[in-house]
Amino acid sequence: KLGLPSPVIADFLFSALSYGKLPVDELVGRLLQRLGFVSNKLDFPKLEKTVSDGLTAREAATAYRILESHAHQICTERDPSCSRCLLFNECPEGHARKAAAEQAVIEAEKAAEAARAAVREEALRLKLEAEKAKKAEADKAKKAEALKKAEAEKAKRAEAAKKAQALKKAEALRKAEAAKKAAAAKKA
């Protein structure tokens, strides 16, 4: 309420006034709440009385400095470093955060596996589609080749028929010529 940081006020209380209680400010209150010692960190006077019972002034000063340092360095407000915390085994919030992080990893792994399965499924679909297109292309090429062969065969038969016609004509002309010569030889 004085506009000074809590550690400055605590140092003043301990040094100048030989204050014999553990001052509970936002930092210490947050730490005590996370550790499960209190459920409501907003009732600072009540917390101060509860946690100070049985402590000497010197113990209260030491406890405050340790808790304040821990709250600043490890158990920060937004992103506590639970993995570095020496009190982790006794901290319900730390365990809850760890369980939530583990659950998030499990969910992320499930989502990643689902994504991989979707990718595999899409790859298989594309592969089958490509094989189908390749087969259709091969069938089309076979049909084109068969048509080309049929046309070549038709052209060959037409050529053979033409040759046969030409041979028939030539034979008929030869016979007619031979008949003319035989008739001319008979007349002579």
Side-chain angles (χ1 to χ4, degrees), residues 58-180:
R58 186 177 198 162
E59 290 170 335
T62 302
Y64 177 79
R65 287 189 180 93
I66 290 170
L67 293 173
E68 184 264 337
S69 173
H70 187 76
H72 265 300
Q73 295 173 8
I74 306 292
C75 196
T76 58
E77 183 174 2
R78 293 182 195 264
D79 189 23
S81 299
C82 296
S83 62
R84 293 177 33 217
C85 183
L86 298 175
L87 301 172
F88 178 77
N89 290 338
E90 307 303 322
C91 183
E93 177 143 345
H95 287 285
R97 285 175 183 267
K98 182 180 179 185
E102 288 171 350
Q103 186 60 37
V105 167
I106 290 169
E107 294 300 322
E109 287 172 353
K110 284 180 184 177
E113 182 52 40
R116 285 190 294 271
V119 167
R120 284 191 300 268
E121 188 176 305
E122 181 64 10
L124 180 59
R125 186 188 68 76
L126 290 173
K127 180 181 177 186
L128 292 174
E129 201 173 276
E131 287 173 356
K132 186 177 176 182
K134 188 176 178 182
K135 186 179 183 306
E137 190 64 34
D139 289 347
K140 186 177 175 183
K142 280 182 185 177
K143 283 180 184 176
E145 185 64 31
L147 184 60
K148 189 177 175 183
K149 275 185 179 180
E151 286 176 358
E153 192 62 38
K154 186 177 176 182
K156 197 176 178 182
R157 280 193 305 260
E159 187 64 33
K162 224 182 203 183
K163 281 183 183 178
Q165 189 72 8
L167 284 175
K168 268 187 183 180
K169 241 184 187 180
E171 184 63 29
L173 282 176
R174 189 183 57 74
K175 280 185 183 180
E177 194 62 39
K180 252 190 196 180

Side-chain angles (χ1 to χ4, degrees), residues 14 25 33 39 46 54 59 85 152 158 174:
F14 292 132
D25 56 12
Q33 183 184 31
S39 59
K46 185 177 177 184
E59 290 170 335
C85 183
R174 189 183 57 74

